[in-house]
Amino acid sequence: MNTTRLDRKKKIKKKSKWLRYSLFTFFIILVGSGLYFYNAYNDVANAVNKMNKPISREVSEKREQKIEFEQKDPISILMVGIDEREGDHGRTDSMLVLTVNPETKTTNILSIPRDTRTKLLDPENPKKTTIDKINHAYAFGGIEMSIASVENFLNIPIDYYVEINMEGFKDIVDAVGGIDVDNQYAFELDGVTLKEGPQHLNGTKALAYSRMRKEDPRGDIGRGERQREVITKIIDKGKSLSTLTNYKNILDALENNIKTNLTLPEIIEMQSAYKPAAETIEKLEIEGSGKMLNNVWYYMVDDETRQILSDQLREQLGLTKEVVMNNTNSKSN
């Protein structure tokens, strides 16, 4: 009897300690691993509540039913880096689509070039479409128009989103003590000069590193790779014991620069149920070509390429294949 009571006390103590020093995992939604903070539960809850910005819909029209974390349903997440500057509504500087499948223990990360020419859909008026660069969707209709346009482009549901203010991105890098990179191309951007080779970057330099594309012969593709690299480095630094004493600064940087429709209970459920999806991470890129139309440069992606990507992502999400709709032959409104 005493042994049983002792076991119960141990279990309760462990559970209480876990709640108090919860393994707060926010960047689990980015690569399926996790950026951990041993933190008082209330601090974490307050930070996530500030970051939480619901969207008007509960379930994507491309979903037959709501996601159930307990059932380990595959999910998709749109991650956007927003370039918000004075006098500008903001545009997406980067777009990543994650499809996470805990049963197959796989995660796909697809980078969408910001100049991709596509239909932009207004969720409040679905019949009205505009043909433009995909990063303009945010400027025209915020995150909800970005989500609707990406769903149409790939013909997949977007279940969740994570929006990062790129100007404040440097605060997150500084909060984890900076990152180490091996820069392949020397360049100067926005007053920041980076030499070629291994070096330590603070937040300002990391932001320039993730934004540069003109000196990179791969353009947006190369920039997308550097952005994924920076995020991965932040995650790695976040896991180290040295960052635990700085958790409040990290939380402050996150809550001031990130918006998401994920709630704290959902993040906690993902931490336990979706972590196996980090075992295999595949990075996908969109093949296309540059073209000038009416003196504007676009990244052109044909429907055959879209169909291949859609089939791959829908399979990852446990959905049947569907034919993608023609993307850019309708007139702009």
Side-chain angles (χ1 to χ4, degrees), residues 229-254:
E229 177 192 5
V230 170
I231 290 170
T232 301
K233 298 285 177 126
I234 292 174
I235 293 168
D236 290 340
K237 290 296 293 290
K239 291 178 182 178
S240 67
L241 293 176
S242 63
T243 62
L244 298 182
T245 58
N246 195 34
Y247 75 86
K248 286 193 175 181
N249 288 340
I250 297 173
L251 278 180
D252 288 342
L254 289 174

mmCIF file with all atom_site columns, all heavy atoms in Angstrom, residues 229-254:
data_model
loop_
_atom_site.group_PDB
_atom_site.id
_atom_site.type_symbol
_atom_site.label_atom_id
_atom_site.label_alt_id
_atom_site.label_comp_id
_atom_site.label_asym_id
_atom_site.label_entity_id
_atom_site.label_seq_id
_atom_site.pdbx_PDB_ins_code
_atom_site.Cartn_x
_atom_site.Cartn_y
_atom_site.Cartn_z
_atom_site.occupancy
_atom_site.B_iso_or_equiv
_atom_site.pdbx_formal_charge
_atom_site.auth_seq_id
_atom_site.auth_comp_id
_atom_site.auth_asym_id
_atom_site.auth_atom_id
_atom_site.pdbx_PDB_model_num
ATOM 1   N N   . GLU A 1 229 ? 18.676 27.069 -43.347 1.00 0.00 ? 229 GLU A N   1
ATOM 2   C CA  . GLU A 1 229 ? 19.883 26.869 -42.544 1.00 0.00 ? 229 GLU A CA  1
ATOM 3   C C   . GLU A 1 229 ? 19.840 27.702 -41.273 1.00 0.00 ? 229 GLU A C   1
ATOM 4   O O   . GLU A 1 229 ? 20.153 27.211 -40.176 1.00 0.00 ? 229 GLU A O   1
ATOM 5   C CB  . GLU A 1 229 ? 21.125 27.240 -43.361 1.00 0.00 ? 229 GLU A CB  1
ATOM 6   C CG  . GLU A 1 229 ? 22.425 27.136 -42.562 1.00 0.00 ? 229 GLU A CG  1
ATOM 7   C CD  . GLU A 1 229 ? 23.610 27.772 -43.273 1.00 0.00 ? 229 GLU A CD  1
ATOM 8   O OE1 . GLU A 1 229 ? 23.408 28.386 -44.346 1.00 0.00 ? 229 GLU A OE1 1
ATOM 9   O OE2 . GLU A 1 229 ? 24.721 27.669 -42.748 1.00 0.00 ? 229 GLU A OE2 1
ATOM 10  N N   . VAL A 1 230 ? 19.449 28.976 -41.399 1.00 0.00 ? 230 VAL A N   1
ATOM 11  C CA  . VAL A 1 230 ? 19.390 29.859 -40.238 1.00 0.00 ? 230 VAL A CA  1
ATOM 12  C C   . VAL A 1 230 ? 18.389 29.335 -39.214 1.00 0.00 ? 230 VAL A C   1
ATOM 13  O O   . VAL A 1 230 ? 18.663 29.302 -38.009 1.00 0.00 ? 230 VAL A O   1
ATOM 14  C CB  . VAL A 1 230 ? 19.034 31.295 -40.670 1.00 0.00 ? 230 VAL A CB  1
ATOM 15  C CG1 . VAL A 1 230 ? 18.732 32.155 -39.443 1.00 0.00 ? 230 VAL A CG1 1
ATOM 16  C CG2 . VAL A 1 230 ? 20.177 31.920 -41.460 1.00 0.00 ? 230 VAL A CG2 1
ATOM 17  N N   . ILE A 1 231 ? 17.222 28.900 -39.683 1.00 0.00 ? 231 ILE A N   1
ATOM 18  C CA  . ILE A 1 231 ? 16.211 28.360 -38.772 1.00 0.00 ? 231 ILE A CA  1
ATOM 19  C C   . ILE A 1 231 ? 16.746 27.128 -38.045 1.00 0.00 ? 231 ILE A C   1
ATOM 20  O O   . ILE A 1 231 ? 16.584 26.971 -36.836 1.00 0.00 ? 231 ILE A O   1
ATOM 21  C CB  . ILE A 1 231 ? 14.929 28.016 -39.549 1.00 0.00 ? 231 ILE A CB  1
ATOM 22  C CG1 . ILE A 1 231 ? 14.248 29.307 -40.015 1.00 0.00 ? 231 ILE A CG1 1
ATOM 23  C CG2 . ILE A 1 231 ? 13.960 27.208 -38.680 1.00 0.00 ? 231 ILE A CG2 1
ATOM 24  C CD1 . ILE A 1 231 ? 13.123 29.077 -40.992 1.00 0.00 ? 231 ILE A CD1 1
ATOM 25  N N   . THR A 1 232 ? 17.421 26.257 -38.798 1.00 0.00 ? 232 THR A N   1
ATOM 26  C CA  . THR A 1 232 ? 17.993 25.046 -38.192 1.00 0.00 ? 232 THR A CA  1
ATOM 27  C C   . THR A 1 232 ? 19.033 25.399 -37.146 1.00 0.00 ? 232 THR A C   1
ATOM 28  O O   . THR A 1 232 ? 19.087 24.782 -36.068 1.00 0.00 ? 232 THR A O   1
ATOM 29  C CB  . THR A 1 232 ? 18.628 24.165 -39.282 1.00 0.00 ? 232 THR A CB  1
ATOM 30  O OG1 . THR A 1 232 ? 17.633 23.820 -40.250 1.00 0.00 ? 232 THR A OG1 1
ATOM 31  C CG2 . THR A 1 232 ? 19.190 22.888 -38.675 1.00 0.00 ? 232 THR A CG2 1
ATOM 32  N N   . LYS A 1 233 ? 19.866 26.411 -37.423 1.00 0.00 ? 233 LYS A N   1
ATOM 33  C CA  . LYS A 1 233 ? 20.899 26.822 -36.470 1.00 0.00 ? 233 LYS A CA  1
ATOM 34  C C   . LYS A 1 233 ? 20.275 27.396 -35.201 1.00 0.00 ? 233 LYS A C   1
ATOM 35  O O   . LYS A 1 233 ? 20.772 27.159 -34.097 1.00 0.00 ? 233 LYS A O   1
ATOM 36  C CB  . LYS A 1 233 ? 21.818 27.874 -37.104 1.00 0.00 ? 233 LYS A CB  1
ATOM 37  C CG  . LYS A 1 233 ? 22.579 27.391 -38.327 1.00 0.00 ? 233 LYS A CG  1
ATOM 38  C CD  . LYS A 1 233 ? 23.724 26.479 -37.938 1.00 0.00 ? 233 LYS A CD  1
ATOM 39  C CE  . LYS A 1 233 ? 24.417 25.967 -39.205 1.00 0.00 ? 233 LYS A CE  1
ATOM 40  N NZ  . LYS A 1 233 ? 25.812 26.185 -39.258 1.00 0.00 ? 233 LYS A NZ  1
ATOM 41  N N   . ILE A 1 234 ? 19.190 28.140 -35.359 1.00 0.00 ? 234 ILE A N   1
ATOM 42  C CA  . ILE A 1 234 ? 18.489 28.675 -34.187 1.00 0.00 ? 234 ILE A CA  1
ATOM 43  C C   . ILE A 1 234 ? 17.962 27.528 -33.326 1.00 0.00 ? 234 ILE A C   1
ATOM 44  O O   . ILE A 1 234 ? 18.071 27.546 -32.102 1.00 0.00 ? 234 ILE A O   1
ATOM 45  C CB  . ILE A 1 234 ? 17.336 29.595 -34.616 1.00 0.00 ? 234 ILE A CB  1
ATOM 46  C CG1 . ILE A 1 234 ? 17.885 30.877 -35.258 1.00 0.00 ? 234 ILE A CG1 1
ATOM 47  C CG2 . ILE A 1 234 ? 16.461 29.962 -33.418 1.00 0.00 ? 234 ILE A CG2 1
ATOM 48  C CD1 . ILE A 1 234 ? 16.814 31.765 -35.845 1.00 0.00 ? 234 ILE A CD1 1
ATOM 49  N N   . ILE A 1 235 ? 17.398 26.524 -33.982 1.00 0.00 ? 235 ILE A N   1
ATOM 50  C CA  . ILE A 1 235 ? 16.883 25.362 -33.255 1.00 0.00 ? 235 ILE A CA  1
ATOM 51  C C   . ILE A 1 235 ? 18.004 24.672 -32.489 1.00 0.00 ? 235 ILE A C   1
ATOM 52  O O   . ILE A 1 235 ? 17.857 24.337 -31.312 1.00 0.00 ? 235 ILE A O   1
ATOM 53  C CB  . ILE A 1 235 ? 16.226 24.382 -34.236 1.00 0.00 ? 235 ILE A CB  1
ATOM 54  C CG1 . ILE A 1 235 ? 14.962 25.002 -34.835 1.00 0.00 ? 235 ILE A CG1 1
ATOM 55  C CG2 . ILE A 1 235 ? 15.879 23.064 -33.554 1.00 0.00 ? 235 ILE A CG2 1
ATOM 56  C CD1 . ILE A 1 235 ? 14.408 24.243 -36.009 1.00 0.00 ? 235 ILE A CD1 1
ATOM 57  N N   . ASP A 1 236 ? 19.134 24.472 -33.150 1.00 0.00 ? 236 ASP A N   1
ATOM 58  C CA  . ASP A 1 236 ? 20.271 23.811 -32.504 1.00 0.00 ? 236 ASP A CA  1
ATOM 59  C C   . ASP A 1 236 ? 20.751 24.596 -31.287 1.00 0.00 ? 236 ASP A C   1
ATOM 60  O O   . ASP A 1 236 ? 21.069 24.021 -30.245 1.00 0.00 ? 236 ASP A O   1
ATOM 61  C CB  . ASP A 1 236 ? 21.417 23.635 -33.501 1.00 0.00 ? 236 ASP A CB  1
ATOM 62  C CG  . ASP A 1 236 ? 21.109 22.616 -34.576 1.00 0.00 ? 236 ASP A CG  1
ATOM 63  O OD1 . ASP A 1 236 ? 20.202 21.784 -34.349 1.00 0.00 ? 236 ASP A OD1 1
ATOM 64  O OD2 . ASP A 1 236 ? 21.747 22.644 -35.643 1.00 0.00 ? 236 ASP A OD2 1
ATOM 65  N N   . LYS A 1 237 ? 20.812 25.931 -31.432 1.00 0.00 ? 237 LYS A N   1
ATOM 66  C CA  . LYS A 1 237 ? 21.235 26.758 -30.299 1.00 0.00 ? 237 LYS A CA  1
ATOM 67  C C   . LYS A 1 237 ? 20.189 26.704 -29.194 1.00 0.00 ? 237 LYS A C   1
ATOM 68  O O   . LYS A 1 237 ? 20.527 26.717 -28.006 1.00 0.00 ? 237 LYS A O   1
ATOM 69  C CB  . LYS A 1 237 ? 21.458 28.209 -30.744 1.00 0.00 ? 237 LYS A CB  1
ATOM 70  C CG  . LYS A 1 237 ? 22.655 28.428 -31.627 1.00 0.00 ? 237 LYS A CG  1
ATOM 71  C CD  . LYS A 1 237 ? 23.977 28.119 -30.912 1.00 0.00 ? 237 LYS A CD  1
ATOM 72  C CE  . LYS A 1 237 ? 24.297 29.089 -29.789 1.00 0.00 ? 237 LYS A CE  1
ATOM 73  N NZ  . LYS A 1 237 ? 24.658 30.441 -30.283 1.00 0.00 ? 237 LYS A NZ  1
ATOM 74  N N   . GLY A 1 238 ? 18.928 26.659 -29.573 1.00 0.00 ? 238 GLY A N   1
ATOM 75  C CA  . GLY A 1 238 ? 17.858 26.624 -28.580 1.00 0.00 ? 238 GLY A CA  1
ATOM 76  C C   . GLY A 1 238 ? 17.874 25.370 -27.738 1.00 0.00 ? 238 GLY A C   1
ATOM 77  O O   . GLY A 1 238 ? 17.396 25.357 -26.599 1.00 0.00 ? 238 GLY A O   1
ATOM 78  N N   . LYS A 1 239 ? 18.430 24.289 -28.269 1.00 0.00 ? 239 LYS A N   1
ATOM 79  C CA  . LYS A 1 239 ? 18.494 23.035 -27.535 1.00 0.00 ? 239 LYS A CA  1
ATOM 80  C C   . LYS A 1 239 ? 19.604 23.024 -26.486 1.00 0.00 ? 239 LYS A C   1
ATOM 81  O O   . LYS A 1 239 ? 19.565 22.232 -25.554 1.00 0.00 ? 239 LYS A O   1
ATOM 82  C CB  . LYS A 1 239 ? 18.743 21.871 -28.507 1.00 0.00 ? 239 LYS A CB  1
ATOM 83  C CG  . LYS A 1 239 ? 17.586 21.552 -29.419 1.00 0.00 ? 239 LYS A CG  1
ATOM 84  C CD  . LYS A 1 239 ? 17.997 20.419 -30.347 1.00 0.00 ? 239 LYS A CD  1
ATOM 85  C CE  . LYS A 1 239 ? 16.897 20.077 -31.330 1.00 0.00 ? 239 LYS A CE  1
ATOM 86  N NZ  . LYS A 1 239 ? 17.308 19.010 -32.258 1.00 0.00 ? 239 LYS A NZ  1
ATOM 87  N N   . SER A 1 240 ? 20.602 23.876 -26.635 1.00 0.00 ? 240 SER A N   1
ATOM 88  C CA  . SER A 1 240 ? 21.771 23.834 -25.762 1.00 0.00 ? 240 SER A CA  1
ATOM 89  C C   . SER A 1 240 ? 21.439 24.357 -24.374 1.00 0.00 ? 240 SER A C   1
ATOM 90  O O   . SER A 1 240 ? 20.579 25.217 -24.190 1.00 0.00 ? 240 SER A O   1
ATOM 91  C CB  . SER A 1 240 ? 22.918 24.655 -26.360 1.00 0.00 ? 240 SER A CB  1
ATOM 92  O OG  . SER A 1 240 ? 22.590 26.025 -26.363 1.00 0.00 ? 240 SER A OG  1
ATOM 93  N N   . LEU A 1 241 ? 22.134 23.834 -23.368 1.00 0.00 ? 241 LEU A N   1
ATOM 94  C CA  . LEU A 1 241 ? 21.896 24.221 -21.987 1.00 0.00 ? 241 LEU A CA  1
ATOM 95  C C   . LEU A 1 241 ? 22.195 25.694 -21.754 1.00 0.00 ? 241 LEU A C   1
ATOM 96  O O   . LEU A 1 241 ? 21.604 26.327 -20.884 1.00 0.00 ? 241 LEU A O   1
ATOM 97  C CB  . LEU A 1 241 ? 22.760 23.360 -21.056 1.00 0.00 ? 241 LEU A CB  1
ATOM 98  C CG  . LEU A 1 241 ? 22.398 21.873 -20.996 1.00 0.00 ? 241 LEU A CG  1
ATOM 99  C CD1 . LEU A 1 241 ? 23.394 21.137 -20.124 1.00 0.00 ? 241 LEU A CD1 1
ATOM 100 C CD2 . LEU A 1 241 ? 20.993 21.682 -20.456 1.00 0.00 ? 241 LEU A CD2 1
ATOM 101 N N   . SER A 1 242 ? 23.105 26.278 -22.522 1.00 0.00 ? 242 SER A N   1
ATOM 102 C CA  . SER A 1 242 ? 23.496 27.668 -22.310 1.00 0.00 ? 242 SER A CA  1
ATOM 103 C C   . SER A 1 242 ? 22.351 28.641 -22.556 1.00 0.00 ? 242 SER A C   1
ATOM 104 O O   . SER A 1 242 ? 22.360 29.760 -22.050 1.00 0.00 ? 242 SER A O   1
ATOM 105 C CB  . SER A 1 242 ? 24.681 28.027 -23.220 1.00 0.00 ? 242 SER A CB  1
ATOM 106 O OG  . SER A 1 242 ? 24.304 27.911 -24.582 1.00 0.00 ? 242 SER A OG  1
ATOM 107 N N   . THR A 1 243 ? 21.352 28.229 -23.337 1.00 0.00 ? 243 THR A N   1
ATOM 108 C CA  . THR A 1 243 ? 20.239 29.136 -23.636 1.00 0.00 ? 243 THR A CA  1
ATOM 109 C C   . THR A 1 243 ? 19.155 29.099 -22.565 1.00 0.00 ? 243 THR A C   1
ATOM 110 O O   . THR A 1 243 ? 18.302 29.982 -22.526 1.00 0.00 ? 243 THR A O   1
ATOM 111 C CB  . THR A 1 243 ? 19.584 28.785 -24.981 1.00 0.00 ? 243 THR A CB  1
ATOM 112 O OG1 . THR A 1 243 ? 19.040 27.465 -24.903 1.00 0.00 ? 243 THR A OG1 1
ATOM 113 C CG2 . THR A 1 243 ? 20.580 28.876 -26.116 1.00 0.00 ? 243 THR A CG2 1
ATOM 114 N N   . LEU A 1 244 ? 19.189 28.114 -21.684 1.00 0.00 ? 244 LEU A N   1
ATOM 115 C CA  . LEU A 1 244 ? 18.117 27.971 -20.706 1.00 0.00 ? 244 LEU A CA  1
ATOM 116 C C   . LEU A 1 244 ? 18.079 29.129 -19.717 1.00 0.00 ? 244 LEU A C   1
ATOM 117 O O   . LEU A 1 244 ? 17.017 29.506 -19.233 1.00 0.00 ? 244 LEU A O   1
ATOM 118 C CB  . LEU A 1 244 ? 18.257 26.644 -19.964 1.00 0.00 ? 244 LEU A CB  1
ATOM 119 C CG  . LEU A 1 244 ? 18.162 25.389 -20.847 1.00 0.00 ? 244 LEU A CG  1
ATOM 120 C CD1 . LEU A 1 244 ? 18.263 24.142 -20.006 1.00 0.00 ? 244 LEU A CD1 1
ATOM 121 C CD2 . LEU A 1 244 ? 16.877 25.398 -21.652 1.00 0.00 ? 244 LEU A CD2 1
ATOM 122 N N   . THR A 1 245 ? 19.254 29.689 -19.399 1.00 0.00 ? 245 THR A N   1
ATOM 123 C CA  . THR A 1 245 ? 19.296 30.824 -18.483 1.00 0.00 ? 245 THR A CA  1
ATOM 124 C C   . THR A 1 245 ? 18.792 32.094 -19.155 1.00 0.00 ? 245 THR A C   1
ATOM 125 O O   . THR A 1 245 ? 18.548 33.095 -18.489 1.00 0.00 ? 245 THR A O   1
ATOM 126 C CB  . THR A 1 245 ? 20.731 31.045 -17.982 1.00 0.00 ? 245 THR A CB  1
ATOM 127 O OG1 . THR A 1 245 ? 21.582 31.259 -19.116 1.00 0.00 ? 245 THR A OG1 1
ATOM 128 C CG2 . THR A 1 245 ? 21.233 29.847 -17.199 1.00 0.00 ? 245 THR A CG2 1
ATOM 129 N N   . ASN A 1 246 ? 18.632 32.054 -20.460 1.00 0.00 ? 246 ASN A N   1
ATOM 130 C CA  . ASN A 1 246 ? 18.222 33.231 -21.221 1.00 0.00 ? 246 ASN A CA  1
ATOM 131 C C   . ASN A 1 246 ? 16.814 33.066 -21.778 1.00 0.00 ? 246 ASN A C   1
ATOM 132 O O   . ASN A 1 246 ? 16.432 33.740 -22.723 1.00 0.00 ? 246 ASN A O   1
ATOM 133 C CB  . ASN A 1 246 ? 19.219 33.458 -22.373 1.00 0.00 ? 246 ASN A CB  1
ATOM 134 C CG  . ASN A 1 246 ? 19.095 34.831 -22.986 1.00 0.00 ? 246 ASN A CG  1
ATOM 135 O OD1 . ASN A 1 246 ? 18.802 35.808 -22.304 1.00 0.00 ? 246 ASN A OD1 1
ATOM 136 N ND2 . ASN A 1 246 ? 19.292 34.915 -24.292 1.00 0.00 ? 246 ASN A ND2 1
ATOM 137 N N   . TYR A 1 247 ? 16.022 32.157 -21.189 1.00 0.00 ? 247 TYR A N   1
ATOM 138 C CA  . TYR A 1 247 ? 14.746 31.800 -21.796 1.00 0.00 ? 247 TYR A CA  1
ATOM 139 C C   . TYR A 1 247 ? 13.777 32.967 -21.884 1.00 0.00 ? 247 TYR A C   1
ATOM 140 O O   . TYR A 1 247 ? 12.982 33.049 -22.823 1.00 0.00 ? 247 TYR A O   1
ATOM 141 C CB  . TYR A 1 247 ? 14.099 30.625 -21.055 1.00 0.00 ? 247 TYR A CB  1
ATOM 142 C CG  . TYR A 1 247 ? 13.493 30.964 -19.722 1.00 0.00 ? 247 TYR A CG  1
ATOM 143 C CD1 . TYR A 1 247 ? 12.196 31.446 -19.626 1.00 0.00 ? 247 TYR A CD1 1
ATOM 144 C CD2 . TYR A 1 247 ? 14.219 30.803 -18.538 1.00 0.00 ? 247 TYR A CD2 1
ATOM 145 C CE1 . TYR A 1 247 ? 11.634 31.756 -18.405 1.00 0.00 ? 247 TYR A CE1 1
ATOM 146 C CE2 . TYR A 1 247 ? 13.666 31.115 -17.324 1.00 0.00 ? 247 TYR A CE2 1
ATOM 147 C CZ  . TYR A 1 247 ? 12.378 31.592 -17.256 1.00 0.00 ? 247 TYR A CZ  1
ATOM 148 O OH  . TYR A 1 247 ? 11.833 31.903 -16.044 1.00 0.00 ? 247 TYR A OH  1
ATOM 149 N N   . LYS A 1 248 ? 13.820 33.900 -20.921 1.00 0.00 ? 248 LYS A N   1
ATOM 150 C CA  . LYS A 1 248 ? 12.881 35.017 -20.960 1.00 0.00 ? 248 LYS A CA  1
ATOM 151 C C   . LYS A 1 248 ? 13.144 35.923 -22.156 1.00 0.00 ? 248 LYS A C   1
ATOM 152 O O   . LYS A 1 248 ? 12.209 36.413 -22.784 1.00 0.00 ? 248 LYS A O   1
ATOM 153 C CB  . LYS A 1 248 ? 12.944 35.804 -19.652 1.00 0.00 ? 248 LYS A CB  1
ATOM 154 C CG  . LYS A 1 248 ? 12.278 35.068 -18.486 1.00 0.00 ? 248 LYS A CG  1
ATOM 155 C CD  . LYS A 1 248 ? 12.076 35.965 -17.288 1.00 0.00 ? 248 LYS A CD  1
ATOM 156 C CE  . LYS A 1 248 ? 11.312 35.239 -16.199 1.00 0.00 ? 248 LYS A CE  1
ATOM 157 N NZ  . LYS A 1 248 ? 11.073 36.108 -15.006 1.00 0.00 ? 248 LYS A NZ  1
ATOM 158 N N   . ASN A 1 249 ? 14.421 36.165 -22.464 1.00 0.00 ? 249 ASN A N   1
ATOM 159 C CA  . ASN A 1 249 ? 14.743 36.964 -23.646 1.00 0.00 ? 249 ASN A CA  1
ATOM 160 C C   . ASN A 1 249 ? 14.274 36.271 -24.919 1.00 0.00 ? 249 ASN A C   1
ATOM 161 O O   . ASN A 1 249 ? 13.800 36.913 -25.864 1.00 0.00 ? 249 ASN A O   1
ATOM 162 C CB  . ASN A 1 249 ? 16.245 37.227 -23.730 1.00 0.00 ? 249 ASN A CB  1
ATOM 163 C CG  . ASN A 1 249 ? 16.711 38.221 -22.679 1.00 0.00 ? 249 ASN A CG  1
ATOM 164 O OD1 . ASN A 1 249 ? 15.913 38.978 -22.138 1.00 0.00 ? 249 ASN A OD1 1
ATOM 165 N ND2 . ASN A 1 249 ? 17.996 38.211 -22.382 1.00 0.00 ? 249 ASN A ND2 1
ATOM 166 N N   . ILE A 1 250 ? 14.419 34.943 -24.933 1.00 0.00 ? 250 ILE A N   1
ATOM 167 C CA  . ILE A 1 250 ? 13.996 34.174 -26.102 1.00 0.00 ? 250 ILE A CA  1
ATOM 168 C C   . ILE A 1 250 ? 12.476 34.233 -26.249 1.00 0.00 ? 250 ILE A C   1
ATOM 169 O O   . ILE A 1 250 ? 11.945 34.446 -27.342 1.00 0.00 ? 250 ILE A O   1
ATOM 170 C CB  . ILE A 1 250 ? 14.483 32.715 -25.999 1.00 0.00 ? 250 ILE A CB  1
ATOM 171 C CG1 . ILE A 1 250 ? 16.013 32.674 -25.994 1.00 0.00 ? 250 ILE A CG1 1
ATOM 172 C CG2 . ILE A 1 250 ? 13.942 31.883 -27.154 1.00 0.00 ? 250 ILE A CG2 1
ATOM 173 C CD1 . ILE A 1 250 ? 16.597 31.312 -25.739 1.00 0.00 ? 250 ILE A CD1 1
ATOM 174 N N   . LEU A 1 251 ? 11.768 34.060 -25.142 1.00 0.00 ? 251 LEU A N   1
ATOM 175 C CA  . LEU A 1 251 ? 10.311 34.149 -25.186 1.00 0.00 ? 251 LEU A CA  1
ATOM 176 C C   . LEU A 1 251 ? 9.854  35.536 -25.636 1.00 0.00 ? 251 LEU A C   1
ATOM 177 O O   . LEU A 1 251 ? 8.922  35.669 -26.421 1.00 0.00 ? 251 LEU A O   1
ATOM 178 C CB  . LEU A 1 251 ? 9.720  33.831 -23.813 1.00 0.00 ? 251 LEU A CB  1
ATOM 179 C CG  . LEU A 1 251 ? 9.561  32.354 -23.438 1.00 0.00 ? 251 LEU A CG  1
ATOM 180 C CD1 . LEU A 1 251 ? 8.970  32.241 -22.047 1.00 0.00 ? 251 LEU A CD1 1
ATOM 181 C CD2 . LEU A 1 251 ? 8.700  31.622 -24.444 1.00 0.00 ? 251 LEU A CD2 1
ATOM 182 N N   . ASP A 1 252 ? 10.523 36.575 -25.128 1.00 0.00 ? 252 ASP A N   1
ATOM 183 C CA  . ASP A 1 252 ? 10.174 37.937 -25.527 1.00 0.00 ? 252 ASP A CA  1
ATOM 184 C C   . ASP A 1 252 ? 10.353 38.126 -27.027 1.00 0.00 ? 252 ASP A C   1
ATOM 185 O O   . ASP A 1 252 ? 9.522  38.731 -27.702 1.00 0.00 ? 252 ASP A O   1
ATOM 186 C CB  . ASP A 1 252 ? 11.036 38.959 -24.777 1.00 0.00 ? 252 ASP A CB  1
ATOM 187 C CG  . ASP A 1 252 ? 10.656 39.080 -23.310 1.00 0.00 ? 252 ASP A CG  1
ATOM 188 O OD1 . ASP A 1 252 ? 9.539  38.657 -22.954 1.00 0.00 ? 252 ASP A OD1 1
ATOM 189 O OD2 . ASP A 1 252 ? 11.478 39.596 -22.526 1.00 0.00 ? 252 ASP A OD2 1
ATOM 190 N N   . ALA A 1 253 ? 11.467 37.597 -27.550 1.00 0.00 ? 253 ALA A N   1
ATOM 191 C CA  . ALA A 1 253 ? 11.741 37.734 -28.987 1.00 0.00 ? 253 ALA A CA  1
ATOM 192 C C   . ALA A 1 253 ? 10.689 36.994 -29.806 1.00 0.00 ? 253 ALA A C   1
ATOM 193 O O   . ALA A 1 253 ? 10.244 37.480 -30.850 1.00 0.00 ? 253 ALA A O   1
ATOM 194 C CB  . ALA A 1 253 ? 13.137 37.196 -29.306 1.00 0.00 ? 253 ALA A CB  1
ATOM 195 N N   . LEU A 1 254 ? 10.272 35.828 -29.327 1.00 0.00 ? 254 LEU A N   1
ATOM 196 C CA  . LEU A 1 254 ? 9.276  35.052 -30.051 1.00 0.00 ? 254 LEU A CA  1
ATOM 197 C C   . LEU A 1 254 ? 7.909  35.739 -30.023 1.00 0.00 ? 254 LEU A C   1
ATOM 198 O O   . LEU A 1 254 ? 7.263  35.903 -31.057 1.00 0.00 ? 254 LEU A O   1
ATOM 199 C CB  . LEU A 1 254 ? 9.155  33.644 -29.454 1.00 0.00 ? 254 LEU A CB  1
ATOM 200 C CG  . LEU A 1 254 ? 10.336 32.689 -29.694 1.00 0.00 ? 254 LEU A CG  1
ATOM 201 C CD1 . LEU A 1 254 ? 10.111 31.401 -28.924 1.00 0.00 ? 254 LEU A CD1 1
ATOM 202 C CD2 . LEU A 1 254 ? 10.519 32.405 -31.163 1.00 0.00 ? 254 LEU A CD2 1
#
